[in-house]
Amino acid sequence: LPVQLVARQAGIPQMTGALSVLPAGTLDRVQSIPGVESVYPLLGVPVVYSQGDKKTPVYIIGYEQVGGPWRLASGRAIAARGEIVRDYALARKYGLDVGDQTELVGKEFRIVGLSEETTSMINPYVFIGLRDAQTLFSAPATSHQDAGGGSLSFLLIEVQASADVSRVRN
């Protein structure tokens, strides 16, 4: 990740495959810490994707600016609501490609990109916009600035160049 720190729910050991729910107000508290340059919210939820008789556990990552696919095999990153980037191998397993429509948790998305190196030991990643993720999982926020409890899973924290990362962490 292009940041120095990640905030997550206490007791959640890593980002992948886990359901982390940050308490209300965490984003505001982190943004007010001296030495924090920028904070990028994520909503991550493990689900089972199914199409026909095939089922695959996937990890949905809702993001805005940072936290999306780090490498694309084809297409582009999301730019609007209703767009999705799927892991390349997952798309191939289901016969999907850039430009296709796909359903995810009961909502239709248009595939705009296929990502590479986006499968953990547990599951492949699927990337959508943060607002789409909040809508899918009934989180109350309309933007990350007013995101309340249950609407965010992780915060990617960029530390100012002049700040001590360990001091910001504590």
Side-chain angles (χ1 to χ4, degrees):
L1 296 170
V3 297
Q4 294 82 11
L5 299 171
V6 176
R8 60 185 181 264
Q9 178 183 336
I12 301 296
Q14 77 258 346
M15 287 182 62
T16 59
L19 181 57
S20 169
V21 179
L22 295 176
T26 301
L27 177 64
D28 291 336
R29 284 194 308 278
V30 170
Q31 287 176 321
S32 69
I33 295 171
V36 170
E37 177 75 26
S38 300
V39 181
Y40 305 100
L42 298 180
L43 178 59
V45 181
V47 300
V48 174
Y49 174 75
S50 62
Q51 182 180 313
D53 61 346
K54 296 179 188 174
K55 294 183 180 187
T56 304
V58 300
Y59 193 72
I60 298 171
I61 299 175
Y63 75 102
E64 284 182 333
Q65 299 168 316
V66 175
W70 41 93
R71 186 173 176 163
L72 292 172
S74 63
R76 60 173 174 79
I78 63 168
R81 293 194 73 163
E83 295 183 341
I84 189 170
V85 172
R86 299 186 70 136
D87 175 75
Y88 179 84
L90 177 68
R92 290 295 171 246
K93 177 178 178 178
Y94 288 93
L96 297 168
D97 206 345
V98 172
D100 290 345
Q101 290 290 121
T102 185
E103 184 180 312
L104 184 66
V105 192
K107 184 178 183 323
E108 286 290 318
F109 288 87
R110 186 170 66 86
I111 300 171
V112 296
L114 300 177
S115 58
E116 290 183 312
E117 299 175 6
T118 50
T119 298
S120 72
M121 291 176 54
I122 301 168
N123 46 24
Y125 304 131
V126 174
F127 301 91
I128 61 176
L130 180 61
R131 289 185 186 198
D132 279 336
Q134 289 172 324
T135 300
L136 280 180
F137 300 106
S138 301
T142 57
S143 76
H144 75 272
Q145 293 300 329
D146 62 357
S151 61
L152 297 176
S153 302
F154 305 99
L155 299 176
L156 305 180
I157 305 163
E158 185 178 350
V159 177
Q160 294 172 350
S162 61
D164 178 354
V165 174
S166 62
R167 183 166 283 172
V168 172
R169 179 185 298 117
N170 295 326

